[in-house]
Amino acid sequence: MLAIARPAGGWSAAPLDILPLSVAVGTRLVALDGDGRVYARFTAGAQPSLTVGGALGNHTLRAVDDAGKALAEVHFQVDAQTRIDDGGDFRDLHQVLVKTMCCYAPDGTGRIRAHGREWRNYVPWILDHVHTMKGMRWHSDANADLLDLWQRHQREDGMVWSNVENYGAAPPYHYWAYHDQGYAWAGDGVRLMRQPVENHNEYNYVDAIHTAWKASGDDAWMRGKLDSALRALEYSVTDRARFSSRLGLLKRGNTIDSWDFQADEPGRPVFAMGGSQQIDPDNTRFVVFFGDNHGYAAACDQLAEMLDMAGRSADAGRCRERSLQIRARLDAVAWNGRFFTHHVEDDPATVRDLGVDESTQIAMSNAYALNRGIPAAQAEAILGTYRALRASLPERAPAEWYAIYPPYGKGFGHDGAKWQYMNGGVQGHAGGELARGAFRHGDETYGVETLLRALHLAKAEAQWPPLTGSEHTVSGIVRFAYTGAFPSAPPQPLHRPVDLAAHATMDFGAGGNGVPSWMGEQEGNDLRGLPLGERRLLGIPFVIATPARNRGRGCIGVGPGLAETIEIPLGGATAGALHLLHASNAVGPSGVAGVITLLYVDGGSRVLSTMQGRHLAGWWFPGQPSERDSGIAWRGACPTCGDVGVHWCAIANPEPERAIRAIRVAGSHEGSRYALIGLTLADRMPWHEPHPISHGGPDNWAGGLCMAALVEGLCGVVDAPGSAALSRPVLSPRWAASGRDAVTVIARYGASRGYVAYRWCHDRAERRLDLALTGGGDMAQLRVLLPAGASDASAVIDGAPTTLAIEAVRDSRYAVCTVPLGAVLRIAIRYR
């Protein structure tokens, strides 16, 4: 007789589970894994058991006679899910990161419907998808769909799209903004868009292919992507809007790090829509951004690895040579000895005034550079720079993982507000890359501290004020961005209401005598109850014209059936902000309700769009706009509707020091009607105590890169070059830097059967590290971090002494050997 006790949780066991057996003492037993390989031979004792190892799948346990003939056998399933359990913080961190990566959907994936099927993705933007994938690949198999869709729609010249989404009757804003320049395409219910200023899509596409291949081990799929990847990388160095012929490096518009909006500054080309994202190859003042070039060089190396696997050594050699050239050129112009300089001007004669000495700015892609093949000396300097920054953080700053530090003083309004989002916000994803780089480059203690800081921030949310909005439905996670500093409150803004009576064109009621009715509506559908005269609404003073005293005119109305534009002279006034009392209807697909153009005395201008949903939200049944500095200023009733109202918003003047000659008011090009009811100038935007959580990109991106740091960095599980699906992993358990004494790790790719599992224990009194190790691959290079101060070590593997090499990484020491996988190995390392 032969039987296995039912594994905990059902008939599926996990690697390293210990399964009690029912079998006669002295019976010879053989265990075979899911690939049919023998991973255990033993004789049953008084309390027999089997420790599970080897490849996943259907396992067999046989009782055999002396000649090896099977007498009885039982079968059981072995499966694995990524799990990290130290009984404390790192178990909690793993759970927090899974929750973060799945904060928008229970399984962490979204769906795009096109070409008769669904295409799964983590985020439908190539940049966000690939970085989220680096963590999600340990839990999901939804890596490749988006890349297949990208390859299918890759532009003829090799360009790769930024984003894909389904759309309804009309393509949305970005289509109208970019399609004339070839940066948007719509068909079959999907819209593909390229943010024109971005220069990272192509190398992120290659990175994503490499990452998905490593997780799946699907060599045929990878080979089918190689020509597409080569075309993508060629586009980056041949398109004149992407490559600097002077410096021989990738270029882009003047954005914050790898983001997609440029500084609002004199000399930026004017576009009808999407000006901060648009570029003009002849007139945009380009910069060389180091992050694009490191990302590109790393992608060349990744593609070379895949080309070698496909037998295309000549193409691989050309990719490696290009990587070396890009790195050498970049070092010559951007490495300052401590970190990489944020921007190098493509035209050396360019002078900018953005309120900060740009040469001092530490951009977050320095953290990314740590994991993109830079030399050890540069990595050590960058880590030292971040450690020094940590020691001198602004008051209440959550961490040193800034998108940019110090932030820009001007040029980046709205989303670029100081100490928020990309302009001085602290980025969870940058923290993940910093930790992963610290583990890679011999600063393991700093890597541990960084991951624990991420866990602390996730747990600290319970003490913070609640957040509202659909993007904040999940709490207690690692956020994309945190507020980077908390300056003291400034004095109250100074307000100067502007009387619009002389420029008003529209009634609040039925109109007449050549004056249009409210929004051109029928009598009774109006704002007849709106309070008039000098009023303070939501704390802001306004002057609202009284139609009965102003030839029937109460407000400025523009759009179909009304005036096309109205100019309001301001006589050279300056203002840091404009407070608008306004309403709109018939807003088109772009969401633009009205257009406010600031006409400066010096002849320049700036265009500020008021957006439906952000700055106002319908005058029938008015809703709450999403912008913090906006709201329902008044609501009442009219004969036609019992709930009507108008909205208020504050919009920052991007150049508050310039004198304003006039303000021009217009509707959108899509035919919306827009009413400006009140206008008040202020010397600054309203001030609010910032919430510790900032805004911006997707939180699952932060979860993905922190998960990568946890699994690849601290747990130490990566594929060896030229291998995939953990067939030949490099295992570098770094738990000696964590202060823990015992941990169990299972790391499994969601897209394949590739996994490794180990139990790590530290006996401090005996100065011994013990591991039980198994996996589904063939062999592993084992690199075990020794405790601080250890200089040498010896090992015994399954009772046999084994020679170890000692590898130094800065001050750290690793005990290194090669071991077979399959059988459950017992490894004891004694250190001195």
Side-chain angles (χ1 to χ4, degrees), residues 40 50 85 105 149 204 269 349 368 377 431 440 475 495 509 513 544 546 585 593 710 733 756 795 823:
L50 171 68
D85 189 1
L149 186 61
N204 278 315
Y368 281 72
R440 180 188 297 266
S475 62
H495 296 111
N513 296 323
I544 304 173
T546 303
N585 69 356
L710 178 59
V756 293

Side-chain angles (χ1 to χ4, degrees), residues 112 119 121 123-127 144-155 159-165 191-193 201 205 225 228:
I112 295 294
W119 308 76
N121 59 84
V123 186
W125 292 75
I126 186 65
L127 173 68
D145 279 11
L146 193 67
L147 309 179
D148 293 338
L149 186 61
W150 249 244
Q151 181 183 23
R152 180 170 183 153
H153 287 283
Q154 187 176 16
R155 209 169 69 177
M159 190 200 79
V160 174
W161 302 101
S162 301
N163 162 264
V164 61
E165 67 182 20
R191 188 266 297 169
L192 289 150
M193 178 273 297
N201 294 2
Y205 176 59
K225 293 286 184 290
S228 173

Side-chain angles (χ1 to χ4, degrees), residues 606-618:
R606 287 290 180 268
V607 177
L608 308 174
S609 296
T610 59
M611 304 297 296
Q612 181 76 4
R614 282 177 52 184
H615 303 110
L616 68 172

Side-chain angles (χ1 to χ4, degrees), residues 452-474:
L452 290 177
R453 182 77 63 88
L455 176 64
H456 166 77
L457 288 172
K459 290 185 173 182
E461 280 194 29
Q463 283 76 51
W464 295 342
L467 281 170
T468 58
S470 59
E471 73 275 23
H472 296 303
T473 56
V474 177

Side-chain angles (χ1 to χ4, degrees), residues 83-88 90-91 94 735 742-746:
R83 180 169 67 91
I84 299 164
D85 189 1
D86 67 333
F90 290 102
R91 174 199 59 199
H94 180 253
W735 294 99
V743 64
T744 298
V745 171
I746 299 177

